[in-house]
């Protein structure tokens, strides 16, 4: 079929991922309560794109990222990187695949070993994975410093001798060292000043174009997500409630929770916003231990109906890949 569009390569596929904590039998008090941190999350990340996950604190977005990286235990579900089901790997098999997926942590002040020099920090994944000869590793680290906007001679410095933005550049260089197929970015700019945030985000975008990188980007900041992400999923209490391409999500949000998040973002166009129907969040999310019967957002939703409190709406595609879990969308 010559007129059909070729389906993009999928770098990462997540199928019905669940991460539950607790629930084990205790000697004296019976079974412990189960925390449903991630509760049936599915999505695909096209190669060379940035997939963003947003939501309030406690929505499960960071736990999702950690489970994908196999840094949090997976209760059930499947995580597939390329053609490899990494959720099935254990011990040496998992260790041998770790070069294919790396992470940039949130806090550049605590994610770098203060006792190691900057060059050794960036070089460490190459040493652990036994990638290249000693000379090749030296050349690779020097090239990475230049690539992220640092000078090769800064390899001799310790982390405390760098600014916050420079430390996050070190974190990026370390993640890039193994040429991974996927880089998970867990709130990578939230600890930085706004001006420095823009520099790091622009650097990440440039590196993506140069190297064809695939990012999974975790954030609570919708402004940052709008700047860098191609596809955005909105999580609430362990589940995705809306997913769409960036333009569709920000210009035509369909779920009341997404609308409320967007309304909460400060805007210079306040008069324009006031002409729209505003949705404000009230109250706190339900407990991830005692989940409600129906829609998990119903107790805070200003437009919820009786059905919403009794049935859980499935995540369905409405149009052009725009998915939403809401009976009233």
């Amino acid at each position: 079929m010559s007129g059909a569009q070729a389906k993009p390569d999928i770098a990462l596929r997540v199928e019905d991922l669940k991460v539950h904590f607790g629930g084990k039998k205790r000697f004296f008090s019976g079974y412990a309560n189960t925390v449903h941190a991630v509760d049936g999350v599915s999505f695909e990340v096209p190669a060379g794109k940035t997939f963003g996950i947003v939501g309030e604190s406690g929505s499960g977005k960071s736990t999702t990222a950690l489970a994908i990286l196999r840094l949090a235990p997976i209760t059930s579900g499947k995580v597939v990187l390329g053609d490899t089901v990494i959720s099935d790997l254990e011990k040496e098999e998992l260790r041998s695949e770790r070069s294919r997926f790396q992470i940039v942590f949130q806090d550049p002040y605590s994610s770098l070993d203060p006792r190691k020099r900057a060059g050794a920090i960036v070089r460490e994944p190459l040493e652990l994975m036994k990638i290249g000869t000693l000379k090749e590793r030296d050349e690779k680290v020097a090239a990475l410093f230049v690539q992220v906007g640092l000078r090769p001679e800064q390899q001799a410095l310790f982390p405390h001798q760098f600014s916050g933005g420079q430390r996050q550049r070190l974190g990026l260089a370390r993640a890039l060292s193994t040429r991974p197929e996927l880089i998970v970015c867990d709130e990578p700019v939230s600890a930085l000043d706004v001006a420095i945030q823009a520099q790091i985000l622009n650097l990440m975008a440039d590196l993506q174009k140069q190297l064809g990188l695939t990012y999974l980007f975790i954030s609570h900041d919708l402004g940052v997500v709008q700047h860098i992400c191609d596809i955005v999923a909105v999580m609430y209490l362990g589940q995705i409630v809306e997913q769409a391409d960036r333009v569709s999500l920000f210009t035509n949000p369909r779920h009341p929770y997404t609308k409320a998040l967007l309304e909460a973002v400060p805007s210079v166009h306040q008069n324009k916003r006031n002409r729209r129907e505003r949705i404000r969040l009230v109250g706190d999310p339900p407990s991830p231990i005692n989940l409600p019967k129906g829609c998990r957002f119903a107790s805070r939703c200003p437009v919820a109906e009786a059905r919403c409190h009794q049935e859980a709406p499935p995540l369905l595609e409405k149009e052009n890949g725009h998915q939403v879990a809401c009976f009233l969308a």
Side-chain angles (χ1 to χ4, degrees), residues 184-224:
V184 175
C185 308
D186 188 9
E187 304 265 14
V189 296
S190 63
L192 305 176
D193 294 338
V194 174
I196 306 301
Q197 284 186 9
Q199 292 177 16
I200 298 299
L201 292 173
N202 290 335
L203 171 63
M204 291 178 64
D206 290 342
L207 290 169
Q208 185 173 47
K209 291 176 184 175
Q210 294 169 21
L211 305 173
L213 300 174
T214 304
Y215 294 131
L216 176 63
F217 197 94
I218 310 299
S219 182
H220 67 276
D221 189 326
L222 287 164
V224 168

Side-chain angles (χ1 to χ4, degrees), residues 259 263 273-280 302-303:
K259 293 178 182 179
E263 289 291 350
R273 175 179 290 178
N274 287 338
R275 289 197 293 268
R276 302 202 307 262
E277 181 183 354
R278 303 196 65 179
I279 294 181
R280 298 180 184 273
V303 295

Side-chain angles (χ1 to χ4, degrees), residues 45-46 48-52 208 213-217 228-232:
V45 183
K49 300 294 184 181
T50 301
F51 187 98
Q208 185 173 47
L213 300 174
T214 304
Y215 294 131
L216 176 63
F217 197 94
I228 196 169
C229 294
D230 300 295
I231 308 166
V232 183

Side-chain angles (χ1 to χ4, degrees), residues 17-273:
L17 179 66
K18 295 182 181 180
V19 181
H20 297 168
F21 299 107
K24 296 180 180 179
K25 187 170 178 58
R26 292 175 175 172
F27 189 73
F28 291 108
S29 56
Y31 284 92
N33 291 325
T34 299
V35 177
H36 300 77
V38 181
D39 209 22
V41 166
S42 301
F43 60 85
E44 294 181 343
V45 183
K49 300 294 184 181
T50 301
F51 187 98
I53 302 180
V54 298
E56 294 174 284
S57 296
S59 62
K61 56 189 187 297
S62 288
T63 305
T64 299
L66 293 174
I68 289 168
L69 290 163
R70 297 298 307 277
L71 298 176
I74 296 174
T75 304
S76 65
K78 185 183 289 187
V79 178
V80 184
L81 182 64
D83 295 325
T84 306
V85 184
I86 59 174
S87 52
D88 289 346
L89 302 181
E90 297 294 343
K91 298 179 180 178
E92 288 304 318
E93 283 187 322
L94 178 59
R95 191 189 306 276
S96 67
E97 296 292 332
R98 283 213 176 272
S99 63
R100 298 173 59 193
F101 49 101
Q102 295 291 313
I103 184 170
V104 178
F105 292 98
Q106 174 179 359
D107 187 358
Y109 297 94
S110 63
S111 62
L112 304 176
D113 189 337
R115 298 165 297 180
K116 289 186 176 181
R117 297 184 188 273
I121 290 172
V122 175
R123 186 189 178 101
E124 187 174 23
L126 300 174
E127 303 276 6
L128 292 172
M129 308 291 177
K130 297 180 173 59
I131 298 173
T133 63
L134 294 178
K135 183 181 178 182
E136 287 170 343
R137 291 171 193 171
D138 290 340
E139 293 172 350
K140 177 74 171 177
V141 172
L144 284 167
F145 268 69
V146 174
Q147 206 163 30
V148 299
L150 298 171
R151 302 188 308 277
E153 58 267 27
Q154 289 179 295
Q155 292 181 58
L157 301 180
F158 289 96
H160 74 269
Q161 294 174 284
F162 292 89
S163 67
Q166 288 175 322
R167 292 185 206 189
Q168 204 57 302
R169 289 173 190 267
L170 280 176
L172 266 172
R174 178 174 60 184
L176 287 170
S177 62
T178 63
R179 289 303 299 266
E181 297 168 37
L182 174 73
I183 297 180
V184 175
C185 308
D186 188 9
E187 304 265 14
V189 296
S190 63
L192 305 176
D193 294 338
V194 174
I196 306 301
Q197 284 186 9
Q199 292 177 16
I200 298 299
L201 292 173
N202 290 335
L203 171 63
M204 291 178 64
D206 290 342
L207 290 169
Q208 185 173 47
K209 291 176 184 175
Q210 294 169 21
L211 305 173
L213 300 174
T214 304
Y215 294 131
L216 176 63
F217 197 94
I218 310 299
S219 182
H220 67 276
D221 189 326
L222 287 164
V224 168
V225 167
Q226 188 175 20
H227 181 79
I228 196 169
C229 294
D230 300 295
I231 308 166
V232 183
V234 181
M235 280 190 73
Y236 183 80
L237 209 60
Q239 296 183 331
I240 292 176
V241 296
E242 186 164 7
Q243 180 182 315
D245 66 87
R246 175 185 58 210
V247 174
S248 297
L249 190 96
F250 282 90
T251 59
N252 184 30
R254 308 289 292 273
H255 197 281
Y257 178 62
T258 308
K259 293 178 182 179
L261 288 181
L262 291 173
E263 289 291 350
V265 177
S267 172
V268 294
H269 305 294
Q270 201 65 39
N271 292 334
K272 181 179 178 181
R273 175 179 290 178

